[in-house]
Amino acid sequence: MALIRVEHVDKSFASRHGSIAIMQDITFEVKDSDFLAIVGPSGCGKSTLLRLIQGLDRPTAGAISFRGQPVAGVCTQMAMVFQSFALYPWLTVSQNVAFGLEALEWPKEKIGSQVERYISVTGLDGFQEAYPRELSGGMRQRVGLARALAVEPAVLLMDEPFSALDALTAESLREEILQLWRDPALPPEAVILVTHNIEEAIQLADRVIVLSRRPGHVLETIDVDLPRPRDRKSGPFYDLTDRIYSLITQGGAPLPPPSGADGRSAS
Amino acid sequence: MGESSDATVPTIFPKSSPTELLGLLVLLNGHKGSEDVARLADDLDLEIDEIFPSLEYAELLQLVKVTDGRASFTELGQKLVAGSIRERKSILREQLRRTTLFKTIVRALESAPNHQLSDEDLAQIVSLTTAPADEAVQNIVNWGRYAELFRYDAEAHRLILSKPAASSRSGSGRTPPTTGATPPGPPGSARKSNPPPPETRGAGVVPAAA
């Protein structure tokens, strides 16, 4: 059974000028232990798609299911990591990591050890008492990661998690995500990464879903069958980058709009 | 530039964060552990001087060797990138403990009242008399916390000595605990992995024209 199934999902938002289609007819599956990347130009609905998958928002049409059950309301088997880290500045690192567990009403006596475990797993030992403002960007995103993993999600959703970080820090965290994903003793089983960075998608993912510009639809799903760590300067890597880049820049012709109302494309 | 050549005074401070340094090692690992420094930088669309601080510190911590503009893993560096996030951190911690800088800080903390030091004390102790002392202090504090050598109270701007791990063991043991004292060095073969303290080597870390 697929872990996640997204079937013919449309999403549009109402505006003063009528309904604006964000995405159309999106269909794909996420299998157990998948590392899936979703790339596409800005405004194609990548982040909205993640929100729909987690159940933070509902599709206008189509269906999303998790382990065969329709996603209705926020799915607690998934956790999100954000570009902006989304930490509470008035809470310490430990308290930030504990926050999700408290929200899920974990028993108090279990929260402490769970927090310790995920602080350690993400390399945050020594910063338990620190406040986010005392941390570098890389350390802040580790807190975001620890908080997400502490609830032991089956699926980790990542929305441009590295794009606010300097290049070396991002390189380090990308590789750590792979480590965590590959470790059978640790969550998550599957990762869905949304990024506008094509190289990043190819570097990390098993499969890359390429979305068109708005209204986003799936242009192609590309398998990345290269051994890790992947050499960005290798021929096959370069070919994939080139192919996805061409898809996005040329193949982005929108589907014919279902009604006359949409039309206002991103550029 | 005004830095003392006295070997007991630390002359090299971390100028990048632990995560950046790890990023550099991961990058080098993607190049099978040895690569021209300029090409490494180019791989991330960076200028050489943007990876230089991490490279310099990685060399100081004896994880990387730079020869003729080419960076290569040492045995320890290789071991680090092969390890888990936790294992990497513990290798960094051991290496950091052996630097003149952090030895000096820990010694100062041990002798200070309440085992505490202020930011200003720290700046003085490590002879940070020149301009961007704030940034240097911040980096040092960041690394020291990362390595759990001390805690830091950001409100009071005070470093606080971490309790030695041995104190949590309250058994009736006759043998004195071995932790807390200066460790004999990283575990493993003494023949291979116990080079002299890093800063006793030359200061020129990377050929300037790399």
Side-chain angles (χ1 to χ4, degrees):
Chain A
M1 187 198 303
L3 196 58
I4 294 172
R5 185 167 281 151
V6 175
E7 292 171 287
H8 304 295
V9 162
D10 291 356
K11 180 69 184 173
S12 50
F13 288 105
S15 84
R16 274 185 299 161
H17 309 286
S19 157
I20 298 181
I22 303 296
M23 67 187 80
Q24 278 178 356
D25 198 26
I26 306 262
T27 296
F28 63 88
E29 274 186 7
V30 182
K31 299 188 231 20
D32 282 326
S33 71
D34 239 350
F35 198 125
L36 183 75
I38 301 175
V39 299
S42 49
C44 73
K46 303 186 292 285
S47 300
T48 306
L49 188 52
L50 277 194
R51 292 176 55 79
L52 295 176
I53 290 171
Q54 200 185 6
L56 293 165
D57 200 350
R58 319 199 66 156
T60 311
I64 297 175
S65 61
F66 173 76
R67 291 196 168 128
Q69 300 295 315
V71 173
V74 180
C75 179
T76 56
Q77 295 287 303
M78 303 184 203
M80 186 95 80
V81 171
F82 302 91
Q83 176 179 4
S84 60
F85 320 132
L87 305 177
Y88 294 111
W90 60 88
L91 298 181
T92 63
V93 166
S94 288
Q95 289 164 342
N96 266 288
V97 176
F99 193 85
L101 297 168
E102 286 161 1
L104 291 176
E105 296 179 357
W106 274 50
K108 269 214 160 56
E109 61 279 10
K110 283 177 75 184
I111 290 181
S113 59
Q114 186 77 351
V115 168
E116 273 309 304
R117 172 169 157 84
Y118 283 93
I119 279 183
S120 174
V121 156
T122 51
L124 280 166
D125 278 318
F127 292 96
Q128 285 91 333
E129 304 306 313
Y131 289 90
R133 71 185 130 81
E134 300 167 37
L135 306 179
S136 65
M139 285 293 166
R140 285 183 204 181
Q141 193 55 299
R142 284 173 200 267
V143 181
L145 187 60
R147 179 185 56 191
L149 293 180
V151 304
E152 301 191 340
V155 185
L156 186 66
L157 307 171
M158 309 189 85
D159 190 359
E160 301 275 9
F162 312 112
S163 52
L165 303 172
D166 67 82
L168 283 176
T169 299
E171 187 71 2
S172 167
L173 291 185
R174 279 193 284 260
E175 199 260 359
E176 291 180 13
I177 293 288
L178 281 179
Q179 260 202 35
L180 294 166
W181 165 69
R182 273 189 297 212
D183 188 337
L186 291 171
E189 284 172 43
V191 177
I192 307 179
L193 166 75
V194 154
T195 178
H196 67 275
N197 182 335
I198 297 172
E199 288 196 349
E200 180 173 290
I202 300 171
Q203 192 188 352
L204 295 178
D206 297 321
R207 283 188 303 142
V208 180
I209 291 183
V210 186
L211 294 184
S212 71
R213 66 171 190 263
R214 199 173 78 201
H217 57 271
V218 179
L219 289 171
E220 207 170 319
T221 300
I222 292 174
D223 290 320
V224 185
D225 203 8
L226 304 174
R228 297 183 175 97
R230 293 173 177 161
D231 178 359
R232 287 190 198 78
K233 301 295 176 195
S234 76
F237 193 106
Y238 183 82
D239 292 344
L240 281 175
T241 312
D242 201 41
R243 186 164 148 211
I244 295 176
Y245 185 76
S246 318
L247 274 170
I248 291 176
T249 50
Q250 299 154 28
L255 291 176
S259 69
D262 121 86
R264 36 194 87 245
S265 72
S267 55
Chain B
M1 274 140 272
E3 280 188 331
S4 168
S5 59
D6 181 345
T8 60
V9 175
T11 54
I12 301 177
F13 306 107
K15 298 182 194 74
S16 70
S17 73
T19 314
E20 283 175 280
L21 183 139
L22 286 168
L24 177 80
L25 300 180
V26 165
L27 183 65
L28 185 58
N29 195 39
H31 290 255
K32 304 192 166 63
S34 179
E35 185 55 279
D36 190 83
V37 173
R39 292 187 65 169
L40 273 184
D42 185 52
D43 205 9
L44 290 181
D45 293 321
L46 295 173
E47 300 296 327
I48 285 189
D49 57 354
E50 292 176 277
I51 68 166
F52 198 81
S54 296
L55 191 62
E56 182 187 53
Y57 215 60
E59 198 177 30
L60 179 89
L61 298 179
Q62 299 179 309
L63 303 167
V64 168
K65 260 197 162 65
V66 183
T67 327
D68 297 331
R70 190 176 183 86
S72 309
F73 279 134
T74 61
E75 206 171 318
L76 190 62
Q78 194 72 60
K79 188 175 155 201
L80 185 146
V81 290
S84 69
I85 299 169
R86 269 187 277 203
E87 289 160 350
R88 291 172 180 185
K89 184 164 163 141
S90 81
I91 290 176
L92 279 184
R93 180 188 304 146
E94 285 312 311
Q95 290 306 95
L96 206 66
R97 278 193 179 141
R98 303 168 64 213
T99 62
T100 309
L101 173 64
F102 284 95
K103 272 196 235 165
T104 306
I105 295 169
V106 168
R107 263 203 305 271
L109 278 166
E110 282 166 351
S111 64
N114 301 325
H115 300 311
Q116 295 189 14
L117 295 171
S118 68
D119 280 2
E120 292 83 19
D121 297 336
L122 174 63
Q124 293 234 319
I125 286 160
V126 300
S127 309
L128 283 169
T129 47
T130 46
D134 281 0
E135 200 187 317
V137 165
Q138 216 172 49
N139 274 329
I140 293 169
V141 166
N142 192 21
W143 275 91
R145 289 176 104 175
Y146 178 82
E148 298 167 77
L149 298 178
F150 48 78
R151 296 188 295 122
Y152 185 68
D153 179 341
E155 298 286 309
H157 295 273
R158 293 188 80 79
L159 289 73
I160 305 156
L161 187 66
S162 295
K163 291 191 185 76
S167 63
S168 60
R169 286 241 245 126
S170 57
S172 59
R174 294 137 155 251
T175 44
T178 51
T179 39
T182 314
S189 124
R191 187 172 56 83
K192 285 178 177 169
S193 59
N194 248 333
E199 277 121 324
T200 55
R201 296 170 311 137
V205 181
V206 179

mmCIF file of all heavy atoms in Angstrom, chain A residues 71-88:
data_model
loop_
_atom_site.group_PDB
_atom_site.id
_atom_site.type_symbol
_atom_site.label_atom_id
_atom_site.label_comp_id
_atom_site.label_asym_id
_atom_site.label_seq_id
_atom_site.Cartn_x
_atom_site.Cartn_y
_atom_site.Cartn_z
ATOM 1 N N VAL A 71 -7.038 11.831 4.342
ATOM 2 C CA VAL A 71 -6.501 12.826 5.271
ATOM 3 C C VAL A 71 -7.599 13.847 5.558
ATOM 4 O O VAL A 71 -8.022 14.588 4.668
ATOM 5 C CB VAL A 71 -5.265 13.533 4.677
ATOM 6 C CG1 VAL A 71 -4.823 14.688 5.568
ATOM 7 C CG2 VAL A 71 -4.116 12.552 4.491
ATOM 8 N N ALA A 72 -8.083 13.826 6.767
ATOM 9 C CA ALA A 72 -9.122 14.780 7.166
ATOM 10 C C ALA A 72 -8.660 15.425 8.461
ATOM 11 O O ALA A 72 -8.557 14.762 9.474
ATOM 12 C CB ALA A 72 -10.457 14.070 7.363
ATOM 13 N N GLY A 73 -8.313 16.678 8.410
ATOM 14 C CA GLY A 73 -7.716 17.312 9.583
ATOM 15 C C GLY A 73 -6.230 17.035 9.597
ATOM 16 O O GLY A 73 -5.714 16.273 8.773
ATOM 17 N N VAL A 74 -5.540 17.655 10.551
ATOM 18 C CA VAL A 74 -4.082 17.570 10.556
ATOM 19 C C VAL A 74 -3.616 16.158 10.888
ATOM 20 O O VAL A 74 -4.024 15.584 11.899
ATOM 21 C CB VAL A 74 -3.495 18.571 11.572
ATOM 22 C CG1 VAL A 74 -1.978 18.483 11.571
ATOM 23 C CG2 VAL A 74 -3.949 19.973 11.253
ATOM 24 N N CYS A 75 -2.801 15.608 10.024
ATOM 25 C CA CYS A 75 -2.313 14.245 10.208
ATOM 26 C C CYS A 75 -1.134 14.262 11.176
ATOM 27 O O CYS A 75 -0.095 14.868 10.901
ATOM 28 C CB CYS A 75 -1.896 13.655 8.871
ATOM 29 S SG CYS A 75 -1.243 11.983 9.013
ATOM 30 N N THR A 76 -1.257 13.582 12.304
ATOM 31 C CA THR A 76 -0.209 13.605 13.319
ATOM 32 C C THR A 76 0.940 12.653 12.984
ATOM 33 O O THR A 76 1.929 12.594 13.703
ATOM 34 C CB THR A 76 -0.779 13.226 14.696
ATOM 35 O OG1 THR A 76 -1.412 11.939 14.589
ATOM 36 C CG2 THR A 76 -1.794 14.252 15.154
ATOM 37 N N GLN A 77 0.794 11.921 11.903
ATOM 38 C CA GLN A 77 1.881 11.047 11.453
ATOM 39 C C GLN A 77 2.860 11.788 10.550
ATOM 40 O O GLN A 77 3.752 11.183 9.970
ATOM 41 C CB GLN A 77 1.306 9.864 10.675
ATOM 42 C CG GLN A 77 0.448 8.943 11.505
ATOM 43 C CD GLN A 77 1.298 8.123 12.438
ATOM 44 O OE1 GLN A 77 2.190 7.412 11.993
ATOM 45 N NE2 GLN A 77 1.050 8.254 13.727
ATOM 46 N N MET A 78 2.612 13.062 10.372
ATOM 47 C CA MET A 78 3.516 13.858 9.539
ATOM 48 C C MET A 78 3.961 15.082 10.332
ATOM 49 O O MET A 78 3.229 15.591 11.167
ATOM 50 C CB MET A 78 2.782 14.350 8.285
ATOM 51 C CG MET A 78 2.183 13.233 7.465
ATOM 52 S SD MET A 78 1.449 13.923 5.965
ATOM 53 C CE MET A 78 0.281 12.632 5.560
ATOM 54 N N ALA A 79 5.182 15.523 10.055
ATOM 55 C CA ALA A 79 5.672 16.725 10.713
ATOM 56 C C ALA A 79 6.405 17.577 9.693
ATOM 57 O O ALA A 79 6.998 17.061 8.749
ATOM 58 C CB ALA A 79 6.591 16.364 11.869
ATOM 59 N N MET A 80 6.363 18.870 9.895
ATOM 60 C CA MET A 80 6.873 19.829 8.910
ATOM 61 C C MET A 80 8.123 20.543 9.441
ATOM 62 O O MET A 80 8.200 20.894 10.618
ATOM 63 C CB MET A 80 5.768 20.848 8.612
ATOM 64 C CG MET A 80 6.072 21.811 7.514
ATOM 65 S SD MET A 80 5.427 21.295 5.905
ATOM 66 C CE MET A 80 3.687 21.769 6.047
ATOM 67 N N VAL A 81 9.044 20.749 8.518
ATOM 68 C CA VAL A 81 10.207 21.609 8.805
ATOM 69 C C VAL A 81 10.115 22.800 7.864
ATOM 70 O O VAL A 81 9.899 22.627 6.663
ATOM 71 C CB VAL A 81 11.528 20.844 8.589
ATOM 72 C CG1 VAL A 81 12.721 21.773 8.677
ATOM 73 C CG2 VAL A 81 11.660 19.709 9.593
ATOM 74 N N PHE A 82 10.278 23.993 8.403
ATOM 75 C CA PHE A 82 10.020 25.208 7.645
ATOM 76 C C PHE A 82 11.303 25.950 7.260
ATOM 77 O O PHE A 82 12.302 25.884 7.966
ATOM 78 C CB PHE A 82 9.156 26.170 8.475
ATOM 79 C CG PHE A 82 7.847 25.590 8.902
ATOM 80 C CD1 PHE A 82 7.735 24.922 10.114
ATOM 81 C CD2 PHE A 82 6.720 25.717 8.109
ATOM 82 C CE1 PHE A 82 6.516 24.384 10.527
ATOM 83 C CE2 PHE A 82 5.498 25.183 8.509
ATOM 84 C CZ PHE A 82 5.406 24.507 9.719
ATOM 85 N N GLN A 83 11.205 26.687 6.188
ATOM 86 C CA GLN A 83 12.320 27.534 5.755
ATOM 87 C C GLN A 83 12.726 28.528 6.843
ATOM 88 O O GLN A 83 13.888 28.770 7.091
ATOM 89 C CB GLN A 83 11.899 28.299 4.496
ATOM 90 C CG GLN A 83 12.929 29.282 4.006
ATOM 91 C CD GLN A 83 12.469 29.993 2.739
ATOM 92 O OE1 GLN A 83 11.357 29.796 2.267
ATOM 93 N NE2 GLN A 83 13.330 30.810 2.182
ATOM 94 N N SER A 84 11.711 29.087 7.495
ATOM 95 C CA SER A 84 11.961 30.141 8.484
ATOM 96 C C SER A 84 12.184 29.568 9.882
ATOM 97 O O SER A 84 12.205 30.309 10.853
ATOM 98 C CB SER A 84 10.766 31.074 8.521
ATOM 99 O OG SER A 84 9.621 30.317 8.882
ATOM 100 N N PHE A 85 12.335 28.250 9.990
ATOM 101 C CA PHE A 85 12.552 27.522 11.242
ATOM 102 C C PHE A 85 11.303 27.486 12.123
ATOM 103 O O PHE A 85 11.028 26.499 12.754
ATOM 104 C CB PHE A 85 13.745 28.065 12.056
ATOM 105 C CG PHE A 85 14.930 28.456 11.219
ATOM 106 C CD1 PHE A 85 15.576 29.670 11.403
ATOM 107 C CD2 PHE A 85 15.401 27.623 10.222
ATOM 108 C CE1 PHE A 85 16.671 30.036 10.618
ATOM 109 C CE2 PHE A 85 16.497 27.964 9.428
ATOM 110 C CZ PHE A 85 17.125 29.175 9.631
ATOM 111 N N ALA A 86 10.568 28.626 12.187
ATOM 112 C CA ALA A 86 9.319 28.691 12.949
ATOM 113 C C ALA A 86 9.480 28.242 14.397
ATOM 114 O O ALA A 86 8.709 27.438 14.915
ATOM 115 C CB ALA A 86 8.227 27.870 12.247
ATOM 116 N N LEU A 87 10.511 28.764 15.059
ATOM 117 C CA LEU A 87 10.720 28.450 16.472
ATOM 118 C C LEU A 87 10.075 29.523 17.337
ATOM 119 O O LEU A 87 9.918 30.663 16.902
ATOM 120 C CB LEU A 87 12.215 28.380 16.781
ATOM 121 C CG LEU A 87 13.033 27.425 15.919
ATOM 122 C CD1 LEU A 87 14.504 27.511 16.298
ATOM 123 C CD2 LEU A 87 12.526 25.995 16.067
ATOM 124 N N TYR A 88 9.732 29.156 18.558
ATOM 125 C CA TYR A 88 9.216 30.147 19.495
ATOM 126 C C TYR A 88 10.399 30.824 20.185
ATOM 127 O O TYR A 88 11.140 30.159 20.912
ATOM 128 C CB TYR A 88 8.306 29.497 20.516
ATOM 129 C CG TYR A 88 7.042 28.958 19.896
ATOM 130 C CD1 TYR A 88 6.810 27.602 19.813
ATOM 131 C CD2 TYR A 88 6.091 29.832 19.367
ATOM 132 C CE1 TYR A 88 5.651 27.105 19.229
ATOM 133 C CE2 TYR A 88 4.937 29.351 18.777
ATOM 134 C CZ TYR A 88 4.726 27.993 18.709
ATOM 135 O OH TYR A 88 3.590 27.515 18.128
#
